[in-house]
Coordinates of all heavy atoms in Angstrom, one line a residue:
A289 N 6.1 14.3 13.5 CA 5.4 15.3 12.7 C 6.3 15.6 11.4 O 5.8 15.6 10.3 CB 5.2 16.5 13.5
L290 N 7.6 15.7 11.6 CA 8.4 16.1 10.5 C 8.7 14.9 9.5 O 8.9 15.1 8.3 CB 9.8 16.7 11.0 CG 9.7 18.1 11.5 CD1 11.0 18.6 11.9 CD2 9.0 19.1 10.5
T291 N 8.7 13.7 10.0 CA 8.9 12.6 9.2 C 7.8 12.5 8.1 O 8.0 12.4 6.9 CB 8.9 11.3 10.0 OG1 10.0 11.3 10.8 CG2 8.9 10.0 9.1
W292 N 6.5 12.7 8.6 CA 5.4 12.6 7.6 C 5.4 13.9 6.8 O 5.0 13.8 5.6 CB 4.1 12.5 8.4 CG 4.0 11.1 9.0 CD1 4.2 10.8 10.3 CD2 3.7 9.9 8.3 NE1 4.0 9.5 10.5 CE2 3.7 8.9 9.3 CE3 3.4 9.6 7.0 CZ2 3.5 7.5 9.0 CZ3 3.2 8.2 6.7 CH2 3.2 7.2 7.7
F293 N 5.8 15.0 7.3 CA 5.9 16.3 6.5 C 6.9 16.1 5.3 O 6.5 16.4 4.2 CB 6.4 17.4 7.4 CG 6.7 18.7 6.7 CD1 5.6 19.6 6.4 CD2 8.0 19.0 6.2 CE1 5.9 20.7 5.7 CE2 8.2 20.2 5.6 CZ 7.2 21.0 5.3
F294 N 8.1 15.6 5.6 CA 9.1 15.4 4.5 C 8.5 14.5 3.4 O 8.7 14.7 2.2 CB 10.4 14.9 5.1 CG 11.3 15.9 5.5 CD1 11.2 16.6 6.8 CD2 12.4 16.3 4.7 CE1 12.1 17.5 7.2 CE2 13.3 17.3 5.1 CZ 13.1 17.9 6.4
W295 N 7.8 13.4 3.9 CA 7.3 12.5 2.9 C 6.2 13.1 2.1 O 6.1 13.0 0.8 CB 6.7 11.2 3.6 CG 6.0 10.3 2.7 CD1 6.6 9.5 1.7 CD2 4.6 10.1 2.6 NE1 5.6 8.8 1.0 CE2 4.4 9.2 1.6 CE3 3.5 10.6 3.3 CZ2 3.1 8.8 1.2 CZ3 2.2 10.2 2.9 CH2 2.0 9.3 1.9
L296 N 5.3 13.9 2.7 CA 4.2 14.5 2.0 C 4.7 15.5 1.0 O 4.2 15.6 -0.2 CB 3.2 15.2 3.0 CG 2.3 14.3 3.7 CD1 1.6 15.0 4.9 CD2 1.2 13.7 2.8
V297 N 5.6 16.4 1.4 CA 6.1 17.4 0.5 C 6.9 16.8 -0.7 O 6.9 17.4 -1.8 CB 7.0 18.4 1.3 CG1 7.7 19.4 0.4 CG2 6.2 19.1 2.3
S298 N 7.6 15.6 -0.4 CA 8.3 15.0 -1.5 C 7.4 14.6 -2.7 O 7.9 14.5 -3.8 CB 9.1 13.8 -1.0 OG 8.2 12.7 -0.7
G299 N 6.2 14.4 -2.4 CA 5.2 14.1 -3.5 C 4.4 15.3 -4.0 O 3.6 15.1 -4.9
R300 N 4.8 16.5 -3.5 CA 4.1 17.7 -4.0 C 5.1 18.8 -4.3 O 5.3 19.7 -3.5 CB 3.1 18.2 -2.9 CG 1.9 17.2 -2.7 CD 0.9 17.4 -3.8 NE 0.5 18.7 -4.0 CZ -0.5 19.3 -3.3 NH1 -1.2 18.6 -2.4 NH2 -0.9 20.5 -3.5
P301 N 5.7 18.8 -5.5 CA 6.6 19.8 -5.9 C 6.0 21.2 -5.9 O 6.8 22.2 -5.6 CB 7.1 19.4 -7.3 CG 6.0 18.4 -7.8 CD 5.5 17.7 -6.6
D302 N 4.7 21.3 -6.1 CA 4.1 22.7 -6.0 C 4.2 23.3 -4.6 O 4.5 24.5 -4.4 CB 2.7 22.6 -6.5 CG 1.8 21.7 -5.7 OD1 2.3 20.6 -5.3 OD2 0.6 22.0 -5.5
V303 N 3.9 22.4 -3.6 CA 4.0 22.9 -2.2 C 5.5 23.2 -1.9 O 5.8 24.2 -1.2 CB 3.4 21.8 -1.3 CG1 3.7 22.2 0.2 CG2 1.9 21.6 -1.5
E304 N 6.4 22.3 -2.3 CA 7.8 22.6 -2.0 C 8.3 23.9 -2.6 O 9.0 24.7 -2.0 CB 8.6 21.4 -2.6 CG 10.1 21.6 -2.4 CD 10.9 20.4 -3.0 OE1 10.3 19.4 -3.5 OE2 12.2 20.5 -2.9
D305 N 7.8 24.2 -3.8 CA 8.2 25.5 -4.5 C 7.7 26.7 -3.7 O 8.5 27.7 -3.5 CB 7.7 25.5 -5.9 CG 8.4 24.6 -6.9 OD1 9.5 24.1 -6.5 OD2 7.9 24.5 -8.0
K306 N 6.5 26.6 -3.2 CA 6.0 27.7 -2.4 C 6.7 27.9 -1.0 O 7.0 29.0 -0.6 CB 4.5 27.5 -2.1 CG 3.6 27.6 -3.4 CD 2.2 27.3 -3.1 CE 1.3 27.3 -4.3 NZ -0.1 27.0 -4.1
I307 N 7.1 26.7 -0.4 CA 7.9 26.8 0.8 C 9.2 27.4 0.6 O 9.6 28.4 1.3 CB 8.0 25.4 1.4 CG1 6.7 24.9 1.9 CG2 9.0 25.4 2.6 CD1 6.7 23.4 2.3
V308 N 9.9 27.0 -0.5 CA 11.2 27.5 -0.8 C 11.2 29.0 -1.2 O 12.0 29.8 -0.8 CB 11.9 26.7 -1.9 CG1 13.2 27.3 -2.3 CG2 12.1 25.2 -1.4
G309 N 10.1 29.3 -1.9 CA 10.0 30.7 -2.3 C 9.8 31.6 -1.1 O 10.4 32.7 -1.0
E310 N 9.0 31.2 -0.1 CA 8.8 32.0 1.1 C 10.1 32.1 1.9 O 10.4 33.2 2.4 CB 7.7 31.3 1.9 CG 7.4 32.1 3.2 CD 6.3 31.4 4.0 OE1 6.4 30.3 4.5 OE2 5.2 32.1 4.1
I311 N 10.8 31.0 2.0 CA 12.1 31.0 2.7 C 13.0 32.0 2.1 O 13.7 32.8 2.8 CB 12.7 29.6 2.7 CG1 11.9 28.6 3.6 CG2 14.1 29.6 3.3 CD1 12.3 27.2 3.4
R312 N 13.1 32.0 0.8 CA 14.0 33.0 0.1 C 13.6 34.4 0.2 O 14.4 35.3 0.4 CB 14.2 32.6 -1.4 CG 14.9 31.3 -1.6 CD 15.0 30.9 -3.0 NE 15.8 29.7 -3.2 CZ 15.9 29.0 -4.4 NH1 15.3 29.4 -5.4 NH2 16.7 27.9 -4.4
T313 N 12.3 34.6 0.2 CA 11.7 36.0 0.4 C 12.1 36.5 1.8 O 12.5 37.7 2.0 CB 10.2 36.0 0.2 OG1 9.9 35.5 -1.1 CG2 9.6 37.3 0.5
V314 N 11.9 35.7 2.8 CA 12.3 36.1 4.2 C 13.8 36.3 4.3 O 14.2 37.3 5.0 CB 11.8 35.0 5.2 CG1 12.3 35.3 6.6 CG2 10.3 34.9 5.2
R315 N 14.5 35.4 3.7 CA 16.0 35.6 3.8 C 16.4 36.9 3.1 O 17.3 37.6 3.6 CB 16.7 34.4 3.1 CG 18.2 34.5 3.1 CD 18.8 34.3 4.5 NE 18.9 32.9 4.9 CZ 19.3 32.5 6.1 NH1 19.6 33.4 7.0 NH2 19.4 31.3 6.4
A316 N 15.9 37.2 2.0 CA 16.2 38.4 1.2 C 15.8 39.6 2.0 O 16.6 40.6 2.0 CB 15.5 38.4 -0.1
A317 N 14.7 39.6 2.7 CA 14.2 40.8 3.4 C 15.1 41.1 4.6 O 15.1 42.2 5.1 CB 12.8 40.5 3.9
S318 N 15.8 40.0 5.1 CA 16.6 40.2 6.3 C 18.1 40.4 6.0 O 18.9 40.5 6.9 CB 16.5 39.1 7.3 OG 16.9 37.9 6.7
Q319 N 18.5 40.4 4.7 CA 19.9 40.6 4.4 C 20.4 41.9 4.9 O 19.8 43.0 4.8 CB 20.0 40.7 2.8 CG 19.8 39.3 2.1 CD 20.9 38.3 2.5 OE1 22.0 38.6 2.9 NE2 20.5 37.0 2.4
G320 N 21.5 41.8 5.6 CA 22.2 42.9 6.2 C 21.7 43.2 7.6 O 22.4 44.0 8.3

């Protein structure tokens, strides 16, 4: 599942940006 996921996302920078944005939002909310 993750092999095909990494390949699909590598061709979709817009999807990658949304994933990274969500990760950073969650990380920021849990700081401390």
Side-chain angles (χ1 to χ4, degrees):
L290 286 182
T291 295
W292 292 102
F293 173 85
F294 272 80
W295 174 72
L296 283 167
V297 173
S298 70
R300 290 289 302 275
D302 58 320
V303 171
E304 181 180 354
D305 286 348
K306 291 177 183 178
I307 291 172
V308 175
E310 181 178 66
I311 293 169
R312 291 178 176 173
T313 298
V314 170
R315 179 69 84 185
S318 64
Q319 288 295 335

